[in-house]
C-alpha cells in the first residue's frame, strides 16, 4: 500500500474517535474511503449517501458546466474516482 492511497488515510479515525460499526465505501475527492457506520454518523453523512458532500458539490459543478458524459470523464481525470454519467444525470433530480 502506498502512502497516498485512501486506505492509508488515518484522519477519519482521529476526527471521529471510533472504528466501530459495519464498514461502507464513500466516494470522496481523495478517492474511495472505507468508513464505518459510526464514523459516518459522527461526520453527519446520511445512511443512503455514497458520495462525500464536497465530492458531490464538485460533481454538481462539473455537470453545470459540461455535459453529463464529459463531466464524468473530467471528474475521473481530476480525482481518479470513476462515476457514471447516468449517476450524474439522476443525482440533481433526486434532491
Amino acid at each position: 500500500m502506498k502512502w497516498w492511497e485512501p486506505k492509508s488515510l488515518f484522519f477519519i479515525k482521529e476526527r471521529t474517535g471510533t472504528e466501530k460499526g459495519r464498514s461502507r465505501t464513500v466516494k470522496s475527492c481523495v478517492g474511495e474511503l472505507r468508513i464505518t457506520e459510526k464514523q459516518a454518523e459522527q461526520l453527519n453523512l446520511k445512511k443512503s449517501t455514497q458520495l462525500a458532500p464536497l465530492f458531490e458539490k464538485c460533481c454538481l459543478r462539473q455537470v453545470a458546466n459540461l455535459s453529463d458524459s464529459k463531466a464524468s470523464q473530467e471528474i475521473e481525470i481530476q480525482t481518479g474516482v470513476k462515476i457514471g454519467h447516468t449517476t450524474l444525470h439522476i443525482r440533481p433530480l433526486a434532491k
Side-chain angles (χ1 to χ4, degrees):
M1 178 182 337
K2 307 287 188 237
W3 66 270
W4 62 84
E5 290 178 345
K7 292 177 188 170
S8 65
L9 297 175
F10 59 89
F11 60 88
I12 293 174
K13 180 184 174 192
E14 287 186 5
R15 171 73 168 89
T16 61
T18 185
E19 284 186 336
K20 296 183 180 181
R22 227 173 3 150
S23 77
R24 64 183 242 204
T25 302
V26 176
K27 292 182 181 181
S28 75
C29 292
V30 296
E32 292 187 355
L33 301 174
R34 303 276 309 160
I35 63 171
T36 65
E37 290 175 334
K38 295 288 184 185
Q39 289 172 334
E41 186 179 298
Q42 291 286 326
L43 297 169
N44 295 324
L45 292 176
K46 296 177 188 171
K47 290 183 179 184
S48 61
T49 188
Q50 295 179 351
L51 304 177
L54 181 60
F55 185 65
E56 184 173 17
K57 183 178 180 179
C58 293
C59 290
L60 292 172
R61 290 181 57 87
Q62 288 291 349
V63 170
N65 294 320
L66 303 168
S67 68
D68 295 340
S69 60
K70 287 186 179 184
S72 174
Q73 293 170 353
E74 193 63 28
I75 291 165
E76 185 174 4
I77 290 168
Q78 291 177 0
T79 65
V81 177
K82 190 170 188 168
I83 186 163
H85 68 279
T86 53
T87 302
L88 292 175
H89 179 74
I90 293 170
R91 197 96 195 130
L93 299 176
K95 290 201 167 208

